[in-house]
Amino acid sequence: MSAIRQASAPAIPYDAIIIGAGFSGLYQLHKLRDGLGLKVRVLEAGGGVGGTWYWNRYPGARCDSESFSYSYSFSKELEQEWEWSERYPSHEEIRCYLNHVADRFGLRQDIQLNTRVKGAAFDSSRDLWTVTTESRESFVTRFLITAVGCISTANVPDIPGRDSFSGQWYHTGRWPHEGVDFTGKRVGLIGTGSTGIQAAPVIAESAAHLTVFQRTANFSIPARNAPLTPEFIREIKSNYPALRDIMRSTTNGHPFAISQDSALAVPEEERRARYERAWEVGGLRFRAEFSDLLSDKAANDTAVEFIHDKIRAIVKDPAIAEKLIPRDHPFATKRPPVDTDYFETFNRDNVRLVDVKADPIEAIVPEGILLKSGGIVPLDIIVFATGYDALTGSLLAMDIRGADGHSLREDWAAGPCTYLGLQAPHFPNMFIITGPGSPSVLCNMPVPIEQHVNWITECIAYMDAKGYSRIETGEQEAKAWVAHVNEAANATLLPLAGSSWYLGANIPGKPRVFMPYAGGMARYAALCAEVAQADYRGFRFLSGQTQRRQSL
Ligand code: N01
């Protein structure tokens, strides 16, 4: 608050300030500016657009959603003119796409780069937010929209001695733009989530030696990435409306339906044959092979057994295979990675696996990593593929103060509390895109992003039509929604992955609360639409407090 008062730059009135220029911020800008004619500014910490894809440039980084589905649906022209080159888009290609979108829709003029938001405070007497940046600029706005991404605040574990390391270390989510040359280097990779699993095979190809430090073994399905053929691209382009319909009608927003068959209802031979086919097809489609993999432990066990056998078949050294076999959580209860030659990488002479559950990392020392057993792994480069303070990290990094001085950090000390994941009580006129309490990270992200942006845009249009200056939700509504989010998670096997970042379990001291809404994207979107139809049930509106725009 005091920083806001001290800010030296003059306040500039806006209808909306959007924080973040990734997938969600770009589309929100387009909708509010070009759809509603509002005055909007996007504040972006990075030096370019792209959000998470601006930062994530680690070796092997690509999305696990299929490229044609990892795209906006709002412009038919954009769909037809953009050409994806591979089944899964690389980080470079996604950045190209988002830069193309920024240019095509003339968005850059309203995006301020290299601008990190420090805090925001709501003035209840005027129904206005004042947003302040680290460079002490301030912006006055009617609406504050956070488009900060779900997995963008890097988690670098506080391992003793990190700064004493005589080589270089990097977090995958803050990768140097000029790249890192591994040639002739001894590299240590900590972490075997989606990122570590993508990076390991690529690093192993160029490094002299790679040591993978694994704390928890993980499931992974072959991605089967490949260039897209002209026929496939033609087929997709002529079928976009139907594909989008499928994406909006499923649980996870992917362009394929989840089978209606229980894994337990088919004979074992047929089940194995189906898993075998799904393994060959690759990617997240494997998870959709049976209806109950995420709801019935016995059904899930059949997938677990199949994947265990695959790991044993791929990894030549049986002792290493046993270490790589995940045993502490059911399949897909952590976000399931998809890979290109991950398990095969452990057959290489220049790759070693260190099980840090059995022999924990004690410290980082100048020459490498010291294990509890006393052994030192000598290293030139350490890569932290150790994940993110997901869903709440980027929101709580800012000092956001709502009505009556409520602090988001304090209000969420025991876990995030929102109504529909869209708004927190005591934070009027602030909307959260794909925040905690919404399907977000359980989905192919463009689907929940577009749904949220469209809903927020319609809500603002409704307010303007009615002359409302304030929208707020209440504690009761948020409590009931959080209870429903828990209920939805508990109806699945997802909470059984006790160390998952969905639960905040990867960040020391973070409250363990299942954060995303597991009730399914289609169901959630229907609920939000129903709320809007019922004059925004669960929200209250006020009018008359805002000085109209021209008098700001
Ligand atoms: O992060 P993670 P990520 N010592 O948190 C380990 C998306 N994504 O960057 O499991 C040793 O999943 C940790 O071990 P454990 C996707 O949604 C998508 O890989 O906590 N190890 C784990 O192995 C994904 O889920 C794509 O025991 C430590 C790893 O680090 C999300 O981003 C690609 C440690 C962290 O795994 C995050 O994935 C990449 C320590 N102190 C990411 N601390 C695609 O679309 C942590 N670990 C393909």
Side-chain angles (χ1 to χ4, degrees), residues 53 56 58 60-65 70 151 155-159 171-173 190-198 213-218 328-329 334-338 356-357 361 384-388 441 499-502 505-506:
W53 298 106
N56 271 276
Y58 61 86
R62 66 176 69 241
C63 187
D64 54 9
S65 292
Y70 197 70
I151 30 185
N155 167 42
V156 183
D158 197 12
I159 299 173
H171 187 281
T172 49
I190 305 178
T192 52
S194 298
T195 302
I197 281 177
Q198 280 187 329
F213 296 86
Q214 170 191 275
R215 190 164 66 183
T216 309
N218 213 340
D328 76 323
H329 62 285
K334 284 180 164 185
R335 164 82 171 220
V338 304
V356 298
K357 273 240 169 78
I361 295 174
F384 289 95
T386 44
Y388 299 88
V441 291
S499 67
S500 149
W501 59 260
Y502 293 154
N506 61 329

Side-chain angles (χ1 to χ4, degrees), residues 191-193 197 213-220 308 311 320-330 334 337 342-343 353-357 499:
T192 52
I197 281 177
F213 296 86
Q214 170 191 275
R215 190 164 66 183
T216 309
N218 213 340
F219 294 97
S220 186
H308 283 188
I311 298 172
I320 296 175
E322 288 312 304
K323 283 187 195 170
L324 286 167
I325 285 177
R327 293 193 171 83
D328 76 323
H329 62 285
K334 284 180 164 185
Y342 175 64
F343 294 115
L353 177 69
V354 172
D355 173 0
V356 298
K357 273 240 169 78
S499 67

Side-chain angles (χ1 to χ4, degrees), residues 215-470:
R215 190 164 66 183
T216 309
N218 213 340
F219 294 97
S220 186
I221 305 297
R224 313 276 181 219
N225 189 37
L228 297 179
T229 62
E231 298 73 44
F232 181 86
I233 292 171
R234 250 197 320 276
E235 175 82 7
I236 292 295
K237 285 190 177 180
S238 53
N239 278 310
Y240 258 124
L243 288 164
R244 300 292 186 192
D245 283 348
I246 296 173
M247 289 161 69
R248 291 192 198 104
S249 67
T250 64
T251 306
N252 303 105
H254 286 288
F256 45 84
I258 298 171
S259 161
Q260 298 296 307
D261 307 336
S262 161
L264 303 173
V266 294
E268 190 181 342
E269 210 171 304
E270 184 188 332
R271 185 168 60 227
R272 270 202 98 77
R274 284 179 61 167
Y275 279 139
E276 205 57 73
R277 267 199 311 276
W279 184 267
E280 284 315 309
V281 171
L284 293 172
R285 288 171 192 258
F286 185 90
R287 190 179 53 178
E289 190 56 37
F290 293 106
S291 63
D292 46 1
L293 295 184
L294 265 181
S295 57
D296 183 319
K297 177 72 169 53
N300 192 289
D301 285 345
T302 65
V304 167
E305 193 191 318
F306 178 85
I307 300 169
H308 283 188
D309 288 351
K310 281 290 178 196
I311 298 172
R312 288 192 184 101
I314 296 168
V315 180
K316 290 185 184 142
D317 181 329
I320 296 175
E322 288 312 304
K323 283 187 195 170
L324 286 167
I325 285 177
R327 293 193 171 83
D328 76 323
H329 62 285
F331 167 64
T333 52
K334 284 180 164 185
R335 164 82 171 220
V338 304
D339 70 273
T340 300
D341 295 339
Y342 175 64
F343 294 115
E344 289 83 347
T345 294
F346 295 93
N347 294 333
R348 295 178 67 115
D349 292 339
N350 69 335
V351 175
R352 175 186 171 201
L353 177 69
V354 172
D355 173 0
V356 298
K357 273 240 169 78
D359 192 1
I361 295 174
E362 187 81 353
I364 295 177
V365 292
E367 57 273 47
I369 288 183
L370 170 66
L371 299 171
K372 192 150 192 225
S373 60
I376 290 180
V377 180
L379 298 169
D380 303 306
I381 296 175
I382 299 175
V383 175
F384 289 95
T386 44
Y388 299 88
D389 183 354
L391 284 149
T392 55
S394 303
L395 289 168
L396 300 183
M398 301 178 284
D399 183 14
I400 302 182
R401 306 270 165 164
D404 308 319
H406 270 264
S407 141
L408 196 66
R409 281 183 199 144
E410 285 165 18
D411 280 16
W412 286 12
C417 181
T418 66
Y419 176 50
L420 295 173
L422 277 160
Q423 197 176 79
H426 308 294
F427 293 83
N429 292 6
M430 174 175 136
F431 294 109
I432 305 166
I433 302 180
T434 64
S438 73
S440 62
V441 291
L442 299 178
C443 301
N444 170 33
M445 286 307 296
V447 176
I449 285 171
E450 287 196 328
Q451 184 261 339
H452 263 185
V453 168
N454 291 340
W455 192 96
I456 291 166
T457 306
E458 281 161 27
C459 179
I460 291 175
Y462 172 90
M463 287 179 67
D464 283 356
K466 299 261 182 190
Y468 295 140
S469 60
R470 187 198 291 207

